[in-house]
Amino acid sequence: MQQNNGIDKKQMISFAVLCLVLFGFMFYFQNKQMKEEELKAQQQKTEQVKNAVKQAQVTNINPNVTPNAIQTASLGNNELKLEFSSLGGQVSKVELLKYKAYNQKTDNADQPLYLINKNNSKYGFQFKDKTGKVINTKDLVFSPAVNGNAVTMTANYNGAVIQFIYTLLDKYTLDFKVRTQGLANVTADNKADFIWDYNVRNLEKGRAQEQSHSEFSYAFNNYKDYDYDGRTTMEEEKETLNWIGVKQQFFASVIEAKNGFTQSKGNQENVEEGEYLKKLNYEGFVQMTGSELNQDFTWYFMPLDLPLLKSYDKNFDEILPLGWSFIGAMNRYFFMWLYAIIAGWGLSAGWVIFVMTIIVKLILSPIMYKQHKLSAMMKL
């Protein structure tokens, strides 16, 4: 019997050719996809955020409100630059200062990264007055007042005072309190319907991949359970959601309700071209006490950075799609750890992944060698 001395030359040549073919196909289809996405993508326009209360030019607003009646107010820190619109008392602009969005014109990530801009996010609390008329706070005109790191939006409706109090905190966090006085004279409802319409902005170069990663994410059962939904419709009628968010490929916009959202439902649809990837709509009820709406919420506009997500202790780290069971554990406790170490050397993400690939190949090389050796011996 011929003695086996390991892997012969033919096997080595076959393995090398297979690797070359695989790499060739990978680069070919990657370049093809990039070219197709470049043809569909549109140039994103940048806007500068002003740091004072000012008149704002707006479109698609309440037809009963003139554009000159709309004001904006701004807050900012080292992480976020926010703008608030007096129409609806809403967050109207969110810029993440430490990150940049892809610019089709320069083929680089050099544009300001806005999660919210140009009316792509609208939200409000809806209820009926005693005549049966549907009222939504997003249609009311508020008066803004800035005090340090806080903005107070105040509106009056038939004698009732509605206040939205926003306070900018660290770690991509915006505290949001709703307070009313005299609303019980206007409505007899015991709950309000929180309605959030959100169009996901195209921030990355790979449109198809970013679109596939954009979906609803939410936690329930006192933050213990997590789920996501990328389907056309979402229904959680029986659960009380602790938070609901829109996850993108590398970022997320999340609103947390201290007393939860009930009877939640939503829908989403893809947008085939332009600056938006998906249109999402969410509805969930919040309780009113004595027909007054006094509830506490928190907005999070954050990057999907694992240490940051874990630091909130709200099950946000589940937003990252790291896989299930053993694969998920490997990704969470080895690969993310390894990525953080190599990225700390100052390398770009592409080089970090390349170095990780080499390290993993070296770790697995003894096992692969034994497998090839056994395979060669079985052929004798």
Side-chain angles (χ1 to χ4, degrees):
M1 181 176 69
Q2 182 180 356
Q3 183 181 0
N4 175 64
N5 294 319
I7 304 174
D8 60 28
K9 292 182 179 180
K10 291 183 179 180
Q11 289 175 316
M12 290 293 293
I13 294 172
S14 299
F15 181 73
V17 170
L18 178 61
C19 290
L20 289 173
V21 171
L22 289 175
F23 277 111
F25 273 107
M26 181 183 70
F27 284 115
Y28 172 76
F29 286 109
Q30 185 179 23
N31 291 333
K32 183 179 179 181
Q33 182 183 6
M34 288 167 55
K35 290 178 181 179
E36 291 175 351
E37 288 164 355
E38 288 173 1
L39 293 175
K40 292 183 179 179
Q42 293 182 353
Q43 179 181 357
Q44 296 178 327
K45 297 180 181 179
T46 62
E47 295 183 1
Q48 296 296 324
V49 179
K50 307 289 184 177
N51 285 326
V53 175
K54 63 184 188 304
Q55 299 298 121
Q57 297 299 318
V58 295
T59 58
N60 298 324
I61 64 174
N62 182 344
N64 298 319
V65 179
T66 61
N68 291 332
I70 309 305
Q71 294 179 304
T72 62
S74 298
L75 293 176
N77 59 17
N78 294 329
E79 301 158 337
L80 295 174
K81 203 170 189 178
L82 307 176
E83 188 173 277
F84 305 85
S85 172
S86 63
L87 179 62
Q90 308 170 73
V91 179
S92 57
K93 188 178 292 185
V94 174
E95 179 184 355
L96 275 67
L97 298 176
K98 296 183 178 180
Y99 299 89
K100 295 295 183 179
Y102 174 70
N103 186 340
Q104 173 68 25
K105 185 175 182 179
T106 63
D107 196 29
N108 285 309
D110 56 15
Q111 291 200 124
L113 195 150
Y114 294 105
L115 292 183
I116 296 177
N117 196 15
K118 297 190 292 186
N119 296 321
N120 73 305
S121 174
K122 297 180 182 179
Y123 60 88
F125 299 90
Q126 185 170 283
F127 53 88
K128 291 182 180 180
D129 66 14
K130 292 182 177 179
T131 67
K133 181 180 179 181
V134 175
I135 308 300
N136 194 314
T137 59
K138 71 180 180 65
D139 299 320
L140 303 179
V141 177
F142 290 69
S143 298
V146 180
N147 183 14
N149 66 331
V151 171
T152 300
M153 293 284 188
T154 305
N156 290 273
Y157 179 75
N158 288 352
V161 177
I162 303 173
Q163 283 192 325
F164 291 173
I165 305 166
Y166 297 95
T167 305
L168 181 58
L169 306 175
D170 293 332
K171 293 169 58 176
Y172 303 94
T173 303
L174 180 67
D175 186 67
F176 174 33
K177 290 180 170 59
V178 180
R179 298 291 183 263
T180 65
Q181 185 175 0
L183 194 62
N185 298 324
V186 176
T187 181
D189 287 355
N190 59 8
K191 58 185 178 181
D193 191 4
F194 175 73
I195 300 176
W196 182 21
D197 298 318
Y198 190 94
N199 293 340
V200 178
R201 296 174 58 81
N202 187 189
L203 305 175
E204 311 300 333
K205 186 173 184 177
R207 179 186 181 89
Q209 185 174 4
E210 188 181 12
Q211 186 181 62
S212 67
H213 282 84
S214 300
E215 60 195 4
F216 283 120
S217 297
Y218 50 94
F220 52 96
N221 191 20
N222 197 25
Y223 302 93
K224 296 177 182 177
D225 296 322
Y226 167 85
D227 206 349
Y228 65 92
D229 204 319
R231 298 170 297 179
T232 304
T233 59
M234 162 212 167
E235 291 187 5
E236 288 290 353
E237 299 284 344
K238 297 180 180 179
E239 301 290 350
T240 298
L241 304 192
N242 302 114
W243 54 261
I244 176 74
V246 176
K247 180 188 78 68
Q248 297 178 229
Q249 188 173 4
F250 299 115
F251 303 93
S253 301
V254 175
I255 183 168
E256 174 193 12
K258 297 302 186 291
N259 293 315
F261 297 108
T262 59
Q263 296 176 274
S264 296
K265 60 182 179 179
N267 58 74
Q268 53 191 300
E269 60 176 304
N270 289 338
V271 178
E272 296 306 322
E273 58 183 11
E275 63 179 313
Y276 301 122
L277 302 171
K278 268 189 178 182
K279 294 181 179 180
L280 296 98
N281 169 266
Y282 170 78
E283 292 186 44
F285 286 99
V286 293
Q287 289 300 120
M288 300 173 69
T289 303
S291 296
E292 296 287 346
L293 180 56
N294 295 298
Q295 294 284 354
D296 293 345
F297 305 87
T298 306
W299 283 103
Y300 302 89
F301 304 104
M302 55 194 178
L304 297 183
D305 176 74
L306 186 59
L308 173 69
L309 298 177
K310 291 174 111 176
S311 70
Y312 295 109
D313 196 26
K314 297 182 184 294
N315 217 7
F316 286 159
D317 53 301
E318 292 289 345
I319 296 176
L320 277 173
L322 298 178
W324 297 92
S325 186
F326 173 74
I327 299 300
M330 284 288 294
N331 288 332
R332 187 178 298 273
Y333 299 111
F334 176 71
F335 288 109
M336 295 298 291
W337 167 80
L338 183 62
Y339 183 93
I341 290 177
I342 300 173
W345 300 348
L347 300 177
S348 65
W351 280 109
V352 171
I353 294 172
F354 176 76
V355 173
M356 285 180 64
T357 303
I358 299 301
I359 292 174
V360 172
K361 288 287 187 183
L362 289 174
I363 293 173
L364 296 177
S365 59
I367 300 174
M368 295 177 64
Y369 173 76
K370 288 183 178 180
Q371 288 180 337
H372 285 299
K373 187 175 181 180
L374 289 172
S375 176
M377 291 176 65
M378 291 178 66
K379 292 180 179 179
L380 298 178

